[in-house]
Amino acid sequence: MNPLRFGRSKRPGDATGSSLGAPSHWQDLPTDDLGQRARQSLPRRWSVAGALLGAGIALVAFAPASWLARGLAAASNEHVLITDSRGSIWNGSGVLVLSGGAGSRDAAILPGRLSWTLGFKGLGLALHARQDCCLNGQLQLLLRPGWGRFELAVANSGEWLARLPAGLLSGLGTPWNTLQLGGSLRLSARDLRLEWLGGQWRQFGQLDLDLLNLSSRVSTLAPLGSYRFSLLAMPASPGQTGGGNNVSQMNLSTLEGALMLNGQGTLTAGKPRFTLEASAAPGREAALNNLLNIIGRRQGARSVFSIG
């Protein structure tokens, strides 16, 4: 008989019996070769990073004006549009259009072209807009982006921002396309600032819209009167920081005229609740009867219209 041989047998994984224990490709390379390869790949990485950075800068520097147009359309739910945009987001122009919103066929075009320049100011951006027909000099807006927030502030110090023909409101659809208003609109702001935070807009300051010497195709009486619509930020709720609120007060009052309008309501997280009461000045009831029937639900001499 052969004597028993005691010894270690070959097992899977032994350096002598399996490739698992074999030296790797990098282990086979001398240390000098590893360093050389690393030094050769470093310039390539920097080249790729530089190319990506340059492409990003060029993309921003030559961003088309249509980017601003798309941003305005999205922010206004397609009620305010810029068409025929030219130039870049930094220095461009376009035609301003009021629309009834997505899918609406109603639209009104402002005369002339809106031109703008956009540049850096501090940690934000400054937008200067001009339109000969309607803006008081230059409209100056400050845009301040941040983490999860965005702020838009009106920097103008003049008495009014814009004057527009009231007929442009017909572009917003019902009920303006029925009323076909004549007269003019005057827009002004006092310390107006809007902040986008947590998916909602929050207002600071006040926005006023004066509707001057209005007339309507559904009434033979002209002018009907002059009115002021105000959107005023309400004080912050107890315990709320920042001095603002996501609730704004809406008021409509009569400055003068035969058609008496009075309305109150609130704008909360973009949702309006508003009640309007309309009546005729003494001696003007017959001339305004048809218009009062159109404005809202009749309650005797008054006409009542509600939203929300």
Side-chain angles (χ1 to χ4, degrees):
M1 296 180 59
N2 294 331
L4 294 175
R5 295 182 179 179
F6 295 95
R8 190 179 65 175
S9 62
K10 292 182 180 179
R11 293 171 299 180
D14 268 1
T16 57
S18 173
S19 62
L20 293 176
S24 69
H25 170 70
W26 291 103
Q27 289 173 332
D28 290 340
L29 292 175
T31 304
D32 292 344
D33 290 346
L34 290 174
Q36 184 178 359
R37 289 199 176 193
R39 287 191 297 271
Q40 289 175 348
S41 63
L42 187 59
R44 287 196 296 269
R45 293 176 182 175
W46 279 110
S47 298
V48 172
L52 293 176
L53 179 61
I57 294 174
L59 183 64
V60 173
F62 298 100
S66 59
W67 285 17
L68 183 63
R70 285 196 291 268
L72 181 60
S76 65
N77 292 324
E78 298 190 26
H79 288 295
V80 183
L81 308 174
I82 296 178
T83 62
D84 190 26
S85 57
R86 303 174 188 172
S88 72
I89 194 174
W90 306 102
N91 191 349
S93 68
V95 176
L96 199 60
V97 178
L98 297 184
S99 165
S104 174
R105 295 183 179 181
D106 295 299
I109 301 174
L110 270 70
R113 292 185 66 84
L114 172 73
S115 60
W116 70 82
T117 58
L118 180 66
F120 291 98
K121 185 172 183 178
L123 298 178
L125 297 168
L127 175 67
H128 296 139
R130 179 182 293 276
Q131 183 150 6
D132 294 338
C133 74
C134 310
L135 297 181
N136 184 9
Q138 282 192 342
L139 176 63
Q140 303 175 40
L141 302 177
L142 299 179
L143 300 86
R144 302 186 183 97
W147 292 108
R149 59 178 293 178
F150 179 82
E151 184 178 288
L152 174 66
V154 177
N156 289 67
S157 57
E159 294 184 1
W160 56 275
L161 300 175
R163 289 181 185 269
L164 308 167
L168 290 174
L169 293 177
S170 62
L172 298 177
T174 307
W176 309 107
N177 53 3
T178 300
L179 295 175
Q180 289 290 319
L181 295 178
S184 63
L185 311 176
R186 183 175 62 196
L187 191 66
S188 58
R190 286 184 285 175
D191 302 321
L192 182 64
R193 181 162 55 92
L194 301 175
E195 182 184 55
W196 176 262
L197 182 65
Q200 296 180 354
W201 284 106
R202 185 167 62 171
Q203 179 187 346
F204 301 79
Q206 182 171 339
L207 180 69
D208 293 324
L209 177 64
D210 291 341
L211 303 94
L212 306 174
N213 298 317
L214 289 189
S215 63
S216 172
R217 72 173 183 179
V218 299
S219 175
T220 57
L221 182 63
L224 297 171
S226 296
Y227 312 91
R228 173 167 293 171
F229 176 79
S230 297
L231 189 62
L232 176 65
M234 296 181 65
S237 303
Q240 184 175 2
T241 60
N245 206 334
N246 63 350
V247 179
S248 298
Q249 182 74 39
M250 296 188 292
N251 294 295
L252 178 64
S253 59
T254 300
L255 301 177
E256 60 177 358
L259 178 65
M260 310 296 292
L261 300 179
N262 181 45
Q264 294 86 31
T266 57
L267 183 65
T268 306
K271 298 179 180 179
R273 294 178 61 89
F274 188 77
T275 299
L276 169 69
E277 292 187 1
S279 60
R284 300 290 190 174
E285 293 85 357
L288 293 174
N289 186 62
N290 184 47
L291 179 59
L292 291 174
N293 289 333
I294 294 175
I295 289 177
R297 184 180 67 258
R298 292 299 295 264
Q299 294 182 359
R302 299 181 303 158
S303 179
V304 180
F305 172 75
S306 297
I307 299 176

